[in-house]
Amino acid sequence: MPEPLRCTGSMVLQELRSSRAMIFAIEEINNSTELLPGIKLGYQIYDSCASVPMAVHVAFQLSSGLDPVFYTGNSCSQSGMVMAVIGDSGSTPSIGMSRIVGSFNIPQVSHYATCACLSDKQQYPTFFRTIPSDQFQADALAKLVKHFGWTWIGAVRSDSDYGNNGMASFLAAAHREGICVEYSESFFRTNPRSRIQRVADVIRRSTAMVVVAFTSPGDMRILLEELSLKPFPPRQWIGSESWITNPDMLRFSFCSGAIGFAIEQSVIPGLRDFLLDLSPSKVAASPVLAEFWEDAFNCSLGKSAATDKSICDGTEDIQMIESPYTDTSQLRITNMVYKAVYAIVHAIHNAVCQESNSTTQCDKFTKTEPREVLTQLKEVNFSQNGFDVSFDANGDPVAKYELVNWQKSESGSIELVTVGHYDASLPAGQEFSINRKLTWVEGGTQVPVSVCTDSCPPGTRKVLQKGKPICCYDCILCPEGEISNVTDSPDCFPCPKEFWPNAERDTCLPKPLEFLSFSEVLGIILVVFSVGGACLATITAAIFYRHRTSPIVRANNSELSFLLLLSLTLCFLCPLTFIGPPSEWSCMLRHTAFGITFVLCMSCVLGKTIVVLMAFKATLPGSNVMKWFGPPQQRMTVVFLTFIQVLICTIWLVLSPPFPMKNLTTYKERIILECALGSTIGFWAVLGYIGLLAVFCFVLAVLARKLPDNFNEAKLITFSMLIFCAVWITFIPAYVSSPGKFTVAVEIFAILASSFGLILCIFAPKCFIILFKPEKNTKKHLMNKTQSKDI
């Protein structure tokens, strides 16, 4: 036969207080006229010693019905019948008990077993509890960690049902919140010291500032004692309810600043007086109270004292000692026992009592089965001492917690301070309420940082580091043209077409508009040359008009010269339509005005060239060619050639005219305002016609270049046409390859260069003779020069 089970170790005074609180609640109910009037409740208390075998043994005793009478007295009708079980304090013992008592439909109400696994009604159909499930606490802890921005944490747990299931629930909730766990270690207080040392070393070497501990008080005490042996970096502790409110833990000062969730504090009227009401007879009658008394006063209640203890002489005053048993300032778990008793009594009351005519009648002789109590227990809903008591479909109460913080007092001791609340029944995002300033690790006032990688600022995106959790990443600058405007953005997104990122790549700004402006240096230079050229043409015309009767002016067809100067003036003014923001009218005007004025110019030059040739032919004996190309014919030639260009431009404007557009493709970072050609055929037809006239003029001028000197205008036209053709041949590749506003600048340069080439080559030599060599501006000089050439 195996040896009888025995409890080992020292007494846990909080458990003693809980058992006494149960007795207090039962006696309170027995003296009440509202619940179970005329019926007295009995009880039997077993010590499971936090041992699963002992808890299972007790469960078999309760289920067998062989226990002695619970309450002595003649009024007891059902001696020894178990209606319900309160306990156990631990999850693992409660699991073992529930599997046994559940087979007999005996309801079990635990005040401290929090394992989420006990909510499974398939396995534990008769289990209830007045303390919230660890599933709620795990969710609350994950939200707490997320609330303070901690994404890189360590985790330790008790290697028990409480620790393993609680941590599993927390890790799942943390994963949903995007929190990464650097390590997750388990241990038990009975493990070899080497195992405890290994867990402590992991905590010391880790990079996570925050450590979440889902442990029992006994396990946590062993770990903290091991950590205190060697210095280690400061850690922010996040504790489960089991140990964060345990007064014995407050002696570890290096855990100052720890935070966690606790069961709500309560006040049970009359309980403290009941706990202190220990007469010698009561103490002597209970082995448990006797052990407590002897340990508290270091004396012996026996007839002969032990060698190291004196005999208790009756002068001991329990009110003078400070003990967890007498401390009622933090009634948390004790209130859960109190509520459990009242929940069971309300269920029994509803099963055996009837309400009639404002009175309650209870039949104490009616045989009540535990199954009936179980059914009624599912429906209880009442309020006791300001706390609501009810159970959901899983046998769990509404989850409400206090957020507690370990803070140093003025005396230097650690105190447990309530700094907020958590109510799982509130809408998502409103569960937390923090109403007091928290103290953090080492007494700091700033929230500690615990991240694997610092947050990626706006303008960057997160790229996960290979082989590491999702919280470990690199911050990569957004690609060109894309931004991110939030912290820790997983992706960058492109700006709209007409927007471009700023230098930090966190905002999309409107792209700057680019066009050749009157206010920029290049625009000012081109305007100066344009206006200067027009003024030069006007001055030249004025000089020619002033000396219109002089031989050099009359000898070179003054009518065509004045018309040519007018067209050159218009050519010089054409570039002004190319400068400034494009509009619908300016786009149509710039190309058509340019095309028509240049054709007018070429027509005049062509007319002058033909006149030179005709004049030379007219000097030959018997020639009558000049009558076929007199002034009327010259005018008609200019008008006809210009009309063709006008017709081309009209067709272009009617069918597909130029129009303003935003060029978004040439440059990514800015918008080019330009004139689209509309019809490229129309544009190149205009240029091609100008080029055709220029080539024709050039050919005729080359043919006439060796005529007598008094007709030397042909040489000047040859040089001017050479410059003109060179400029426009060069213009084509430059125009095609130039980006943005420089396309317009190239076209303006071509217009100005060719115009200056014409006016300087054709008119500059004549103006020089008129102004500086007037002696050569005579008919005699011209005739003598001709004769000498003939000789």
Side-chain angles (χ1 to χ4, degrees), residues 626-689:
M626 282 304 296
K627 73 176 183 178
W628 300 106
F629 202 74
Q633 288 79 11
Q634 296 171 18
R635 298 189 196 101
M636 288 299 298
T637 301
V638 172
V639 171
F640 176 74
L641 295 176
T642 305
F643 175 75
I644 294 176
Q645 184 74 306
V646 172
L647 184 62
I648 294 173
C649 290
T650 301
I651 296 173
W652 182 16
L653 294 179
V654 170
L655 297 180
S656 183
F659 58 90
M661 65 168 288
K662 295 180 178 179
N663 184 342
L664 303 173
T665 58
T666 303
Y667 295 107
K668 296 179 181 179
E669 72 281 2
R670 59 184 184 269
I671 300 174
I672 301 172
L673 296 182
E674 61 185 17
C675 287
L677 297 177
S679 171
T680 54
I681 296 176
F683 174 72
W684 291 109
V686 169
L687 285 185
Y689 184 61

Side-chain angles (χ1 to χ4, degrees), residues 13 318-327:
L13 297 182
I318 195 172
Q319 298 190 29
M320 300 302 295
I321 64 172
E322 292 184 3
S323 164
Y325 172 79
T326 60
D327 182 12

Side-chain angles (χ1 to χ4, degrees), residues 715-786:
K715 293 182 179 180
L716 303 179
I717 293 174
T718 302
F719 281 114
S720 65
M721 286 298 100
L722 188 61
I723 294 173
F724 185 91
C725 292
V727 167
W728 286 101
I729 290 173
T730 308
F731 160 77
I732 295 174
Y735 179 84
V736 173
S737 61
S738 296
K741 63 183 179 181
F742 297 105
T743 303
V744 178
V746 166
E747 191 169 356
I748 293 175
F749 175 79
I751 294 171
L752 293 177
S754 55
S755 299
F756 274 110
L758 287 172
I759 195 170
L760 292 177
C761 289
I762 296 176
F763 292 100
K766 300 174 183 177
C767 290
F768 179 78
I769 293 174
I770 293 173
L771 296 177
F772 302 106
K773 299 288 185 177
E775 67 277 6
K776 294 183 178 181
N777 190 11
T778 62
K779 186 175 182 181
K780 180 180 178 181
H781 176 77
L782 294 174
M783 295 300 295
N784 291 337
K785 192 172 184 181
T786 303

